[in-house]
Amino acid sequence: MTADDAPEVPLPGGGMGGAVLSAGTVRRAPGPWTPTIQRLLRHLRAHGVGEVPRPLGTDERGRDVTEYLDGEVPAYPMPAWVWDDRVLLDAAALLRRVHDATASFDRAGAVWRLPVREPAEVICHDDAAPYNMVFRDGRPVGLIDWDTAAPGPRVWDLAYLAYRLVPLGPAGADPGPVDDPERRRRLALLCGAYGGVDASTVLATAVVRLRELARFTAARAGGDAELLRHVDLYLADAAWLEDRADLLTP
């Protein structure tokens, strides 16, 4: 059996490209952005960020092919170990390494799936969250699903990571710590581990980020009831967070 004949297993989540696992590789639908993303992954690995998939070009069907990173990718409901402080610190440090390496990426001729956001300091992953991280021994070691990456401010990515990992939604929205003092403490830890970012800016950006996510999701929802439910959730979380920003600022 050749690699092209290998069985294909749909991956949970799979981003927006319906990713599948085949012969130790991840394959997803291509787009005009695919060559840029493959070049970005090569750049990251050349600059010492080995925690991203190795790009492998395209297969006989033209699909984007990348290395499969071994490890555990958690899904909702998140396992209890995701809320350990070590995960928070490691995730922030991983995102910082990635951002620092992307600052020197040559954007000439680049094509992105999502709009560029100013100030375009780095290349944002645009979906940095536990469900896009590979864990080993309970620690995040890799960042996957890069197809929606695009230039933007560092805080755009960090705010979404804070939303998912502090977490910053209403009580009960995610398992794990939910009271305000604990959220405030964890937000301070996250910002400190990343470095050079003010928590109040992260909170304000998270509100904007959630409203933009709601708009983006609604635009592609069609009549999908589950996606429309997510739109309502993002808008409710944005309103809740805006109302409580002062209580959550370290």
Side-chain angles (χ1 to χ4, degrees), residues 26 89 118 134 159 194 227-228:
V26 176
L89 297 172
E118 299 295 341
V134 175
Y194 185 91
L227 284 178
L228 292 173

Side-chain angles (χ1 to χ4, degrees), residues 12 24 55 74 82 107 131 143 146-147 159 161 168 181 183 192-193 239-240:
V82 166
R107 304 179 195 178
Y131 53 75
L143 192 57
W146 280 86
D147 51 317
L161 182 62
L168 294 177
R183 282 195 179 93
W240 180 92

